[in-house]
Amino acid sequence: RGLSEWDYDPHELAQAKSNRKLASYDTAIAVLPPARSLPDEAIERLAPVAGGDARLEFIYSLLVAGGVLQPGSPVTIISEVKERFLRRSELAQRAILAQIYFRMMNWSTLWELLRKDGLQLCHMLSHHHVGPEDLHNDLVLFRHVALRSLASLPDGEWTALGDLFRPMRAVWPQFDHSAWQDYGPSSWTASWFLRSTKSGRPLHPGEAGDWDLAQGRFIRRIITGPLHWLGLADLCFKDGRPVAARFHGLADLYWDRVEIADAPPTVAAKTLSVPAEDAIATDDHTITVSPSAISPQAHELLNRMARLETATAERFVYCLDSQSAYESFETGGALSELLHGWEATLPIPMPETIRDQLSRWWDAYGQVRIYEDLTVIEFGDDYALQEMKAVTPLEKLIIAEVSPRLVIIPKESVAPLTETLERAGYTPKRTDEV
């Protein structure tokens, strides 16, 4: 288990093997941070929109943990979950994402520390009883150590990070697996621990510099990353380094006092409306919007009638698309819903050219349907069909009734239907000829 479940540094593992140290009690091998979830081409395209590759990874992991995305290749969007989410207000969406972040298992701030901040995560080969799932549980607990402390601070007041870190050194002295064990705080007794890539030695819990390298940076990245991205923390920098933070709604959401936290005063007092000419522009077939100037519901509406062709931090360009409109109609949407949705969510009237194109697609929808892999059932008389509907699930399978003696069903339904008919005492004849 010690070798098969952990993603060890292959060079370090090969060196330990050549030195015959794999069975040594004190051999520890560096564990690599997880690879990015999205392929390189998707990261290159989406990272500028998301605000960087680290933030993109966080957003993706949030959506997976929330059930909006199904990971894999290609990534699958769970439409029902996405639509329920987008129907909520922006503050409700923020609350939902915050609650997901508090408990998510598939992402940790530590991964970014390992990628960029001169740290390595090491695992003792002799500790086979501790697997990656134990590490993930530890990291969630460490996240809550930080969040509990931050959620105990006064809401809306600036706190210097140095003032916060001094008491936290006593509360959280070490960053390794031994934090949850009864024996002492020595890193070498821990199943996993952190070491400095510069010195090559494990971090020592008694040294202030080592504490700041691990716990200090971990807490800073929680504040400047997820909490700031979710709109729960304002930041104050000095010489490019975060030195203070002010929180809005974190305590209410973390301690589950309210379902939806209020917006920060600076946001609530700010006029969020943007002149229509700056928020959206249209021509015959494209809709260009400032992405932050329209609501998530408006973006969802545009996705139901158009294809997103350009996505940057400054503008999204949607192009009217017959396939998008068709899929919207197939899932029960109607032209009237698109027209009403535009009026309710976008700041300008729908142009006639766009309205006319949607109307033409709606008028053409359903006039011709093409089916593949079908089976024709022919009955011996005009009464057999009604009898079969009464004693078998045939009625639910019928795509079309051509006549009282001919019906069409999907090809994959033939075998179970035949089995049902035979159990009922009928002897259907199957043929490949029509």
Side-chain angles (χ1 to χ4, degrees):
R1 174 177 178 174
L3 291 177
S4 62
E5 293 188 358
W6 294 87
D7 189 13
Y8 292 116
D9 182 326
H11 302 292
E12 194 170 340
L13 186 63
Q15 185 176 7
K17 183 177 180 181
S18 66
N19 294 337
R20 301 179 182 275
K21 290 187 175 181
L22 292 184
S24 176
Y25 180 80
D26 61 355
T27 298
I29 304 294
V31 178
L32 300 177
R36 297 293 191 196
S37 301
L38 295 173
D40 291 343
E41 59 272 18
I43 294 174
E44 183 178 359
R45 177 169 56 89
L46 297 174
V49 179
D53 54 355
R55 189 169 178 177
L56 175 63
E57 180 70 22
F58 174 71
I59 293 170
Y60 172 85
S61 300
L62 263 186
L63 296 177
V64 169
V68 177
L69 299 181
Q70 182 70 38
S73 183
V75 175
T76 302
I77 298 175
I78 310 302
S79 299
E80 298 83 358
V81 180
K82 182 189 75 171
E83 290 170 5
R84 287 199 303 269
F85 177 77
L86 290 178
R87 291 192 193 105
R88 307 295 297 273
S89 68
E90 292 185 35
L91 288 178
Q93 291 176 17
R94 181 183 73 154
I96 292 170
L97 294 176
Q99 293 292 346
I100 294 171
Y101 165 63
F102 296 158
R103 63 177 184 271
M104 65 193 295
M105 301 285 291
N106 60 331
W107 184 90
S108 175
T109 296
L110 178 63
W111 308 143
E112 292 305 317
L113 297 184
L114 298 181
R115 292 186 179 105
K116 300 178 180 179
D117 283 350
L119 290 175
Q120 283 184 319
L121 170 70
C122 298
H123 178 246
M124 300 289 289
L125 294 184
S126 59
H127 289 220
H128 304 301
H129 60 286
V130 174
E133 68 278 7
D134 300 300
L135 167 66
H136 296 160
N137 289 331
D138 288 345
L139 294 179
V140 172
L141 288 173
F142 286 163
R143 181 193 306 155
H144 283 289
V145 169
L147 289 174
R148 280 197 298 269
S149 299
L150 299 175
S152 300
L153 296 173
D155 204 56
E157 297 182 12
W158 288 102
T159 299
L161 298 187
D163 293 341
L164 171 67
F165 288 172
R166 278 190 288 274
M168 288 200 69
R169 289 192 181 97
V171 175
W172 186 13
Q174 60 212 60
F175 198 119
D176 58 48
H177 187 62
S178 69
W180 316 115
Q181 300 173 11
D182 293 334
Y183 47 78
S186 168
S187 290
W188 286 107
T189 63
S191 301
W192 67 262
F193 58 89
L194 298 181
R195 73 182 177 199
S196 167
T197 56
K198 183 177 181 180
S199 66
R201 64 170 180 79
L203 302 186
H204 193 282
E207 296 185 10
D210 283 359
W211 191 95
D212 190 70
L213 187 62
Q215 291 96 312
R217 292 189 180 183
F218 187 83
I219 297 168
R220 284 191 192 94
R221 280 191 176 268
I222 284 179
I223 297 171
T224 61
L227 297 185
H228 182 60
W229 297 336
L230 290 167
L232 299 172
D234 294 334
L235 306 175
C236 176
F237 291 86
K238 182 178 181 180
D239 299 327
R241 181 181 176 85
V243 294
R246 177 175 59 184
F247 301 98
H248 305 285
L250 172 61
D252 286 339
L253 291 176
Y254 185 77
W255 302 116
D256 205 19
R257 296 170 182 165
V258 297
E259 182 178 352
I260 301 173
D262 293 334
T266 53
V267 174
K270 183 180 177 181
T271 301
L272 297 179
S273 60
V274 175
E277 60 270 19
D278 295 334
I280 181 169
T282 64
D283 61 21
D284 290 347
H285 298 287
T286 62
I287 304 140
T288 302
V289 300
S290 174
S292 60
I294 65 174
S295 68
Q297 291 78 13
H299 285 289
E300 172 64 11
L301 172 75
L302 294 175
N303 277 314
R304 295 174 60 192
M305 65 176 70
R307 179 180 65 256
L308 182 60
E309 288 198 332
T310 301
T312 68
E314 294 76 27
R315 67 178 191 138
F316 282 12
V317 179
Y318 292 92
C319 182
L320 283 184
D321 180 57
S322 59
Q323 182 62 30
S324 299
Y326 168 76
E327 292 174 359
S328 179
F329 298 154
E330 279 289 280
T331 56
L335 174 63
S336 59
E337 294 178 12
L338 298 181
L339 301 180
H340 175 74
W342 183 292
E343 181 181 350
T345 63
L346 292 168
I348 64 172
M350 179 183 286
E352 287 299 322
T353 52
I354 294 178
R355 180 187 296 269
D356 291 344
Q357 181 61 77
L358 293 174
S359 297
R360 286 194 294 271
W361 287 337
W362 175 251
D363 291 340
Y365 171 68
Q367 291 187 4
V368 176
R369 289 180 175 268
I370 298 175
Y371 295 93
E372 297 179 349
D373 296 327
L374 302 180
T375 295
V376 177
I377 301 179
E378 181 180 10
F379 296 96
D381 56 52
D382 292 345
Y383 307 102
L385 174 58
Q386 298 304 319
E387 183 180 344
M388 294 300 101
K389 286 181 178 180
V391 299
T392 72
L394 174 62
E395 186 168 15
K396 298 179 181 179
L397 304 175
I398 293 176
I399 293 174
E401 292 188 28
V402 181
S403 73
R405 296 194 183 193
L406 291 176
V407 298
I408 299 175
I409 67 171
K411 182 179 180 180
E412 63 270 16
S413 301
V414 172
L417 180 61
T418 299
E419 184 179 346
T420 301
L421 289 170
E422 290 175 346
R423 286 201 304 268
Y426 298 95
T427 56
K429 177 182 178 182
R430 297 177 60 174
T431 178
D432 294 331
E433 298 178 1
V434 178

